[in-house]
Amino acid sequence: MFSIVIPTLNEEKLLPLLLNSLTRQTDKNFSVVVVDGRSKDKTVEIARSYETKLPNLQVVISPKASLPLQRNLGAKASTGQWLAFVDADSILFPQFVQRIQSFIETAHPQLFTTWCRPDSEEPGDGNIALLYNMVLEMSIILHRPFSPGPLTIVSRDVFAELGGYDETRGYNEDVDFSIRAHKKHIPFNVIPETLYVWSLRRMRSKGTLKVAQQYIVSALPVLLFNRSLKYMPGYVMGGQSYKKGKRLFRSEILKRYEKKLKSLVKEFLE
């Protein structure tokens, strides 16, 4: 039912964490397509080593490194009724597939994502992820919804209707995808449940302030003109530019984080 598409470029350090999380899924009704952008490290070798652990896994080599191109190639190579585009530095919780399938059966969405938590237990990282989830909710209210790059789930029919991702873009291809969906009156939903881990390695490596400034600059055209930037100076795809971040997972912290988020969303919506 689901095809999980993972674009990669020099992700030998973090890709195993994502693939391991897929081997632990409580629902095995999915296939995996890793689309590599000509990595210089052992990313492809590592991905292929999971073919026995994930029998429905295939590795596709892209002509070049490009997020929109690699996502489109993954969609083309996949067979699932639903496409889940996941960044290589994300991690999916064991109940991920089970919960999104339940959501599809009950809510009948067409395009959606879920809440996330950060990849560390630093208070600052928690606040960033909390704000990120709130922005997702607010974007729907403001009629400026966006399907985030780290995790976007879309039906194959809608993906085909939109023509996939714009391969001419070097940045904001996910925002552009959302804008085109909104113009076609395709609703965007957010599952109010934390189902994946969002990597904040870019902020740790480049600096939180610098990355936040990039986000603000890219958000203004969307808010004011419902258009997205096509390029962002300094934006580089791939794991070669980042230091390995520290990832710690404790269930009690996750529960407190999700409880706080639900309380904030409830207060905002009321």
Side-chain angles (χ1 to χ4, degrees):
M1 184 173 182
F2 303 100
S3 288
I4 298 174
V5 179
I6 308 169
T8 60
L9 180 65
N10 302 320
E11 295 289 1
E12 64 178 6
K13 293 181 179 180
L14 296 184
L15 180 61
L17 298 177
L18 172 56
L19 296 181
N20 283 334
S21 75
L22 289 171
T23 66
R24 295 192 292 267
Q25 290 299 304
T26 56
D27 190 324
K28 307 297 184 181
N29 186 19
F30 64 91
S31 61
V32 181
V33 183
V34 175
V35 187
D36 189 71
R38 307 274 174 177
S39 292
K40 303 298 183 182
D41 61 6
K42 296 181 179 179
T43 297
V44 172
E45 180 183 338
I46 289 171
R48 287 175 174 158
S49 72
Y50 279 80
E51 289 175 345
T52 55
K53 300 176 183 178
L54 294 167
N56 294 320
L57 179 146
Q58 59 177 311
V59 179
V60 176
I61 306 300
S62 171
K64 63 178 182 178
S66 164
L67 275 175
L69 171 60
Q70 289 173 238
R71 286 174 179 152
N72 288 345
L73 289 174
K76 185 177 181 180
S78 66
T79 57
Q81 301 169 8
W82 285 85
L83 303 170
F85 295 98
V86 183
D87 278 356
D89 57 354
S90 298
I91 295 178
L92 305 179
F93 289 136
Q95 71 275 21
F96 172 79
V97 172
Q98 181 181 353
R99 294 299 298 147
I100 64 174
Q101 179 166 320
S102 176
F103 181 71
I104 289 170
E105 292 172 352
T106 56
H108 308 291
Q110 298 179 67
L111 171 67
F112 65 99
T113 189
T114 79
W115 285 350
C116 69
R117 64 146 290 174
D119 60 346
S120 81
E121 295 174 3
E122 295 296 327
D125 288 352
N127 290 333
I128 291 171
L130 188 64
L131 177 61
Y132 179 81
N133 291 326
M134 290 296 295
V135 169
L136 281 176
E137 300 285 353
M138 291 171 61
S139 73
I140 297 175
I141 296 173
L142 297 174
H143 304 290
R144 293 291 190 271
F146 71 96
S147 53
L151 175 64
T152 288
I153 305 161
V154 60
S155 72
R156 180 173 292 277
D157 290 342
V158 167
F159 187 82
E161 181 182 350
L162 295 175
Y165 288 94
D166 182 354
E167 295 177 10
T168 67
R169 288 182 162 267
Y171 186 73
N172 267 354
E173 76 289 333
D174 47 352
V175 177
D176 170 73
F177 186 82
S178 306
I179 290 174
R180 288 187 282 121
H182 187 62
K183 288 180 178 179
K184 286 183 174 290
H185 306 289
I186 296 169
F188 175 68
N189 299 95
V190 178
I191 300 180
E193 185 176 351
T194 306
L195 294 178
Y196 78 100
V197 175
W198 176 36
S199 171
L200 297 181
R201 64 176 178 174
R202 181 179 297 276
M203 293 190 179
R204 283 191 289 270
S205 177
K206 305 297 183 182
T208 301
L209 182 59
K210 182 177 180 179
V211 175
Q213 288 174 337
Q214 289 181 335
Y215 286 163
I216 292 171
V217 169
S218 61
L220 286 177
V222 178
L223 292 172
L224 297 176
F225 310 111
N226 204 23
R227 296 175 61 185
S228 61
L229 294 179
K230 206 167 185 178
Y231 303 100
M232 173 62 72
Y235 174 79
V236 180
M237 175 188 175
Q240 70 279 355
S241 301
Y242 309 108
K243 299 176 182 178
K244 186 174 181 181
K246 197 173 184 181
R247 294 170 181 261
L248 300 172
F249 306 101
R250 295 179 184 171
S251 59
E252 65 271 16
I253 290 180
L254 175 60
K255 289 178 182 178
R256 289 203 302 268
Y257 172 83
E258 190 164 316
K259 183 178 179 180
K260 183 178 180 182
L261 179 58
K262 287 182 177 180
S263 176
L264 285 171
V265 171
K266 183 178 179 181
E267 180 179 346
F268 179 79
L269 294 177
E270 289 178 348

